[in-house]
């Protein structure tokens, strides 16, 4: 068996999307049947666990875990990381993949692995994405840490007039040595390869976040051990985000999504940003008022457009 096949484990967090998860697993198996895959079912209510268990129960290199409740992205993936650490002793790198990610070319995985093997000062590496069948260039190079303006206004009703993203995008690239790779502050959480030892050293994702800001936080934590993140520019993964996009048509789900965003943003502001004093109080005030408005607006829309 090739060394990289033995040292890489794929981690997929499933929640009510077993068909997407099966497609994701199939894309991994088409690359190499010997890859190990850990699937964490986040207490789905659509019979996902039973269906996935019926498909993969006899597969020696596919592990299925069921969470006792829906604990979100950070804690759900942490369950997987800790399982891998305790049960798959050959694991050196973990590929975190959302179920709506597809990889068809094993060269992507080989080159992510080769990069981390070569550059020990990098803990996480990913590549560019084709998002809903569209290549968005700079939008897929990872992103910078949020500025104070982002933390005050991104995601708010008023902020939409002048802040279009929760993070700053890259407008130029900083190539690493002679590689077709660029250093970035933050890599998207939908697909990346991570050095397991480094993730363990920083105590994994922050369990307090349910959804959003997990990538920013893990990057900040990695800085404490002098580790960085990067994007390979000549490789791609495919991200079919339409499943989630369609779900947010439901205003109840949209309100829950905005609550997750707000709560995680507050965790980042309070624990990982450099905002202090009066500015911190005002930042929290702005975001808390905005969320109260969202509760009223989306709550009303959920009633009249169920």
């Amino acid at each position: 068996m090739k060394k990289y096949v033995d040292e890489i484990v794929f981690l997929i967090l499933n929640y009510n999307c077993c068909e997407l998860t099966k497609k994701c697993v199939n894309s991994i198996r088409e690359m190499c049947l010997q890859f190990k895959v850990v699937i964490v079912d986040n207490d789905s209510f659509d019979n996902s666990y039973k269906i996935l268990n019926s498909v993969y129960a006899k597969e020696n290199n596919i592990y299925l875990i069921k969470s006792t409740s829906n604990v979100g992205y950070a804690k759900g993936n942490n369950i997987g990381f800790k399982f891998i650490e305790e049960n798959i002793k050959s694991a050196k790198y973990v590929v975190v993949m959302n179920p709506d990610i597809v990889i068809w070319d094993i060269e992507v995985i080989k080159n992510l692995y080769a990069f981390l093997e070569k550059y020990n000062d990098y803990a996480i590496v990913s590549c560019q994405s084709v998002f809903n069948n569209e290549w968005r260039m700079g939008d897929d190079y990872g992103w910078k840490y949020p500025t104070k303006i982002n933390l005050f206004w991104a995601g708010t009703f008023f902020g939409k007039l002048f802040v279009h993203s929760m993070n700053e995008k890259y407008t130029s690239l900083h190539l690493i040595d002679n590689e077709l790779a660029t250093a970035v502050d933050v890599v998207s959480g939908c697909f990346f390869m991570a050095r397991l030892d480094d993730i363990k050293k920083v105590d994994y994702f922050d369990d307090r976040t349910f959804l959003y800001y997990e990538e920013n936080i893990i990057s900040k934590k990695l800085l404490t051990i002098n580790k960085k993140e990067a994007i390979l520019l000549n490789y791609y993964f495919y991200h079919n985000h339409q499943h989630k996009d369609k779900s947010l048509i439901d205003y109840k789900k949209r309100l829950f999504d905005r609550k997750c965003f707000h709560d995680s943003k507050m965790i980042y502001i309070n624990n990982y940003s450099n905002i202090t004093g009066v500015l911190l109080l005002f930042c929290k005030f702005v975001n808390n008022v905005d969320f109260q408005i969202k509760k009223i607006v989306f709550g009303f829309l959920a009633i009249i457009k169920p």
Side-chain angles (χ1 to χ4, degrees):
M1 184 183 295
K2 300 280 187 182
K3 182 183 176 186
Y4 71 87
V5 173
D6 200 40
E7 293 185 342
I8 294 171
V9 179
F10 290 80
L11 173 57
I12 303 168
L13 184 64
N14 177 83
Y15 182 66
N16 295 331
C17 57
C18 63
E19 292 305 315
L20 280 175
T21 296
K22 286 194 291 182
K23 185 176 180 180
C24 182
V25 172
N26 288 342
S27 77
I28 296 168
R29 291 168 62 80
E30 287 192 21
M31 289 189 292
C32 178
L33 283 172
Q34 282 72 47
F35 276 135
K36 298 177 184 67
V37 181
V38 172
I39 305 168
V40 178
D41 181 65
N42 225 347
D43 196 31
S44 301
F45 56 77
D46 69 344
N47 221 23
S48 277
Y49 181 82
K50 183 176 180 181
I51 294 169
L52 293 170
N53 190 54
S54 69
V55 175
Y56 299 121
K58 296 181 180 180
E59 299 284 349
N60 292 329
N61 58 341
I62 297 181
Y63 307 82
L64 180 61
I65 307 164
K66 190 178 192 308
S67 173
T68 55
S69 62
N70 178 15
V71 293
Y73 175 94
K75 196 168 186 177
N77 277 305
N78 285 348
I79 290 171
F81 274 120
K82 292 171 185 177
F83 175 88
I84 293 167
E85 179 198 338
E86 293 169 5
N87 296 278
I88 306 177
K89 298 305 180 182
S90 64
K92 185 176 179 182
Y93 302 108
V94 177
V95 177
V96 175
M97 294 178 70
N98 284 2
D100 55 6
I101 301 296
V102 175
I103 305 290
W104 295 116
D105 188 353
I106 197 170
E107 292 301 313
V108 174
I109 304 303
K110 286 181 180 179
N111 280 276
L112 295 175
Y113 173 86
F115 181 88
L116 289 178
E117 284 282 281
K118 184 175 181 180
Y119 296 101
N120 190 57
D121 51 337
Y122 286 83
I124 287 177
V125 63
S126 186
C127 51
Q128 293 194 70
S129 73
V130 177
F131 185 89
N132 289 345
N133 294 318
E134 178 185 0
W135 178 46
R136 303 178 301 172
M137 295 186 292
D139 285 342
D140 294 319
Y141 294 157
W143 56 79
K144 301 178 184 179
Y145 294 122
T147 63
K148 287 185 174 68
I149 291 176
N150 292 116
L151 293 176
F152 269 80
W153 302 111
T156 66
F157 278 131
F158 182 67
K160 288 182 179 180
L161 298 174
F162 56 93
V163 179
H164 301 294
S165 175
M166 62 183 281
N167 305 289
E168 290 292 305
K169 301 296 183 182
Y170 281 97
T171 56
S172 62
L173 303 177
H174 304 277
L175 297 184
I176 302 165
D177 296 341
N178 294 318
E179 306 275 356
L180 277 173
T182 181
V184 296
D185 287 346
V186 185
V187 161
S188 172
C190 66
F191 172 76
F192 62 87
M193 183 182 289
R195 197 185 314 274
L196 181 57
D197 281 349
D198 289 339
I199 300 300
K200 180 183 176 183
K201 284 177 185 176
V202 298
D203 198 28
Y204 312 97
F205 287 109
D206 191 324
D207 276 350
R208 293 173 295 177
T209 61
F210 190 91
L211 187 63
Y212 296 107
Y213 282 89
E214 301 94 340
E215 307 104 316
N216 291 354
I217 291 173
I218 195 72
S219 178
K220 287 275 188 170
K221 293 173 79 171
L222 287 168
L223 282 180
T224 65
I225 59 169
N226 299 313
K227 292 299 179 85
K228 298 178 287 188
E229 303 188 4
I231 297 285
L232 302 189
L233 298 171
N234 53 337
Y235 293 96
Y236 300 84
F237 63 90
Y238 297 87
H239 190 184
N240 176 16
H241 204 259
Q242 295 173 6
H243 177 79
K244 180 176 180 181
D245 293 341
K246 290 177 181 177
S247 73
L248 295 182
I249 295 173
D250 183 320
Y251 283 106
K252 287 184 180 178
K253 291 180 179 178
R254 192 179 300 185
L255 178 57
F256 177 71
D257 180 80
R258 291 299 85 191
K259 182 182 187 302
C260 293
F261 178 84
H262 171 77
D263 292 348
S264 294
K265 188 178 182 182
M266 289 298 100
I267 290 167
Y268 183 87
I269 288 169
N270 284 316
N271 298 279
Y272 299 97
S273 76
N274 57 359
I275 302 177
T276 58
V278 175
L279 278 180
L280 176 61
L281 294 175
F282 183 59
C283 184
K284 292 163 68 172
F285 173 78
V286 167
N287 283 278
N288 285 329
V289 168
D290 178 79
F291 180 62
Q292 294 305 315
I293 294 172
K294 285 189 174 75
K295 286 174 67 175
I296 295 169
V297 172
F298 291 143
F300 176 72
L301 290 172
I303 295 171
I304 63 173
K305 292 183 178 181

